[in-house]
Amino acid sequence: MSLTDSVVYQIYPKSFRDSSGDGVGDLRGIIEKVDYIASLGVDHVWFNPFFPSPGRDNGYDVSDYCAIDPAMGTMEDFDELVAALGEHGICVMLDMVLNHTSTEHKWFQRALAGDPVYQDYYYLLPPKEDGSLPTNWVSKFGGPAWAPFGDTGLYYLCLYDRTQADLNWHNPAVRAEAAGVVNFWRAKGVKDFRFDVINVIGKPLPLQDAPTGTDDRRMYTDGPLVHDYLRELCAASFGQDPEAMTVGEMSSTTVEACAGYSNPANGELSMVFSFHHLKVDYADGAKWTRIPYDFAALKRIIDEWATGMQAGGGWNALFWNNHDQPRAIDRFADPEHYHAESATMLATVIHLLRGTPYVYMGEEIGMTDPAYSSIEDYVDVEARNAYNELTAGGMGAQEAFAIVHSKARDNARTPMQWSAEAPGAGFTSGTPWLRPTNQQTVNVEREEAQGRILPYYRRLIALRKELPIISRGAYAPYLMEHEDVLAYTREHDDSRLMVLCSFRGHDTEVPVPEAFASARILIGNYDGNDRIRSSDELPPVADRLEAGTIRLRPYEAIALLA
C-alpha cells in the first residue's frame, strides 16, 4: 500500500453508529461496522476527534489529548477498534487539533491560576493604549478573536470559538508537547495523522493589526515558520515511521505553500487539504451568502491545484465532502432529479484525479443535506452564530435561515443512514443527537440491495489500486472552456485516460480527440459500466461517437482508457 493508491474513509464518530442507545455515536458502534468499512476497499480511516471535550466545537475544543471522551467509549474500546481495522489491513488516522486547546484544558487552567510557565503556552496580550483589543483580527466563528484572560486585564487569542485558546508555537515547550501527543498515539499503533488548521501555527511576531481594507487572515496564515515547525514535528514524531501518512488542513492557503508542505523532499507532510474549490458559491468570498456556484471558477481552481501541485512535487488530498462542509451533491448537482447520477459523477471527478481521494461517511450512499426548517434544528455554534449575526444586521429570518441552511456544517453531521428506520435511521435505538430526514429513500440497506452509488464507489476505489495510470499518472486539463463539462487526461507509460464529467441536467456534446477514438470505456455512471470487472469486457467508445463527438447525458461521467 502506497500513498498514491490509497483511499481514505472519514468517520465523524458522533454520527456514525451509536451502540448504547443514547443517541450519540461511539467507538463500539464503529467496531460493529468494521466489516462494512472494509467492504469499501479503503486503506485508512480518518476519525474526527473523540478526545475529552466540552463540545463547544463538536470535539475540536480538546481538553485532554491523550484520553478518550467517556461518551465515546474507553481506551480499551479504542485498542479493539485499531485491532479490528488492522485485521483488514486498514490504518487508523487520528485528528490532531494542535493549534488550540479548550479553555478547560489543564494547560489553560494552570495559566489562569497564574503559572507563568503555562501562561507562555498561549498568546496573552494587554489591550492597546486606547483600550482596544490587541489586534483587529476577527474570529472565524464570528466576533473578535480575543477574549478576556480572567481578571488579569490581559486577553488571549482565540481564532475560532472563544473557548478555543490558540497555542503559542513560538514556545519550544509547546512544540515538544505537540510531539509528545503524537508519540502517545504512535505508541498505541497509530501511524496516520490529520492536523487541523495546521498552517496557522506559525503566526509572525509581533502580532499586528491587519491594514484597513485587507483580509486579517493574511496576518497569521502560512507564515514561514510553519515549514520549520512541521519539519521539527515530523522529525520528533511521525517521521520516524516510514509508512506514516499525514495530511494537513490548510486554511486560506496557496498552491505554492502547499506544494512545499507536501513535497517529500521537505520532510513535512504527505499531503494537504485546501478548500478554495468549495468557496465558489461564496459571494465576494463571504461564506454566509447564497448564490449559484461558479462552474468556471470550480474548474479553474481544480485545474490550478492539480497542475500546480504536480509541478511543485506536492500531493493533494482530494475531496468534495467532510464534517465542515454541506453535502456537495446539493451544492454542485441535482439530487432531486438525478440522485444517483449526481453522486457518481462527483465521485468520478475526485477518484480519477492525481492525489489521494477521501470519502466522507454517507457520501458513498448519496446522503444529502437534511430538510430542516428552523435554526433550532441546528446544533453547531458556527451556524447559530451566523444566523444571529445575519438577523441582527437586519436580514429577515426566512432569508437568514435559507443562507445558513445552505452552508451549515451540521448538514454533513447528520447520522449515518444505515436503514429506513425512524427516527434513528439505524444509527441509534434512541433519539439521535441530530435529526436525519430522508432515511426512507437514502440508506445503506437500500444501496446494498439495489443501489447504483455504493457499487460505483467500490469500483472506483478498486480501479485506483489496479491501474497505475490512476494512482501515478500525470495530469493535464482538457476542455477548460466547455460550459457544461469538467474534463482532464491522465498519462502513464503507454496508457492514456480521459475523464469527462457533465455538471448539467441536460445533454451536452463533447469532442473526443483522435487519440481516444479507439479507446474503451473504463467506467461510466450510466448503463452499468461501473459493474464491469475485466478489461476484456470494456465497451468501445466508438459505439457512442458521432463525427468525433460524444453526447453526455445529464450528470453523466465517463472515463476512456486508450
Side-chain angles (χ1 to χ4, degrees), residues 335-350:
E336 181 181 357
H337 301 102
Y338 298 99
H339 181 239
E341 294 82 6
S342 294
T344 51
M345 180 277 291
L346 290 170
T348 306
V349 173
I350 292 299

Side-chain angles (χ1 to χ4, degrees), residues 327 329-330 335 339 362 366-371 411-412 414 417 437-438 442:
R327 295 280 181 178
I329 191 171
D330 290 270
H339 181 239
M367 282 182 62
T368 63
D369 289 346
N411 289 351
T414 55
Q417 295 172 186
T437 59
N438 67 347
V442 179

Side-chain angles (χ1 to χ4, degrees), residues 268-286:
E268 298 179 36
L269 299 169
S270 305
M271 69 188 90
V272 295
F273 284 119
S274 65
F275 295 88
H276 298 280
H277 65 298
L278 297 178
K279 298 180 180 180
V280 295
D281 55 358
Y282 289 19
D284 298 322

Side-chain angles (χ1 to χ4, degrees), residues 206-320:
L207 306 185
Q208 296 182 336
D209 277 348
T212 302
T214 64
D215 188 338
D216 65 330
R217 292 173 293 186
R218 297 179 184 176
M219 306 304 295
Y220 56 78
T221 303
D222 284 331
L225 286 173
V226 177
H227 292 286
D228 295 338
Y229 293 161
L230 285 175
R231 281 191 289 269
E232 181 181 323
L233 180 64
C234 176
S237 58
F238 58 83
Q240 299 170 31
D241 297 323
E243 297 180 357
M245 193 172 85
T246 55
V247 57
E249 181 194 33
M250 302 299 166
S251 173
S252 305
T253 190
T254 66
V255 174
E256 180 183 12
C258 286
Y261 296 138
S262 60
N263 188 316
N266 294 340
E268 298 179 36
L269 299 169
S270 305
M271 69 188 90
V272 295
F273 284 119
S274 65
F275 295 88
H276 298 280
H277 65 298
L278 297 178
K279 298 180 180 180
V280 295
D281 55 358
Y282 289 19
D284 298 322
K287 175 176 180 176
W288 300 108
T289 55
R290 192 180 183 215
I291 59 171
Y293 81 95
D294 185 336
F295 181 55
L298 178 69
K299 290 177 60 171
R300 183 182 68 252
I301 293 167
I302 289 176
D303 174 63
E304 286 175 352
W305 279 83
T307 302
M309 292 291 276
Q310 179 172 263
W315 195 253
N316 277 318
L318 307 169
F319 72 105
W320 287 117

Side-chain angles (χ1 to χ4, degrees), residues 56-58 141 161 379-386 409-410:
R56 281 281 299 176
D57 188 22
N58 276 291
F141 290 175
D161 187 70
V379 174
D380 183 39
V381 60
E382 185 191 32
R384 286 176 171 261
N385 286 351
R409 300 188 299 180
D410 276 349

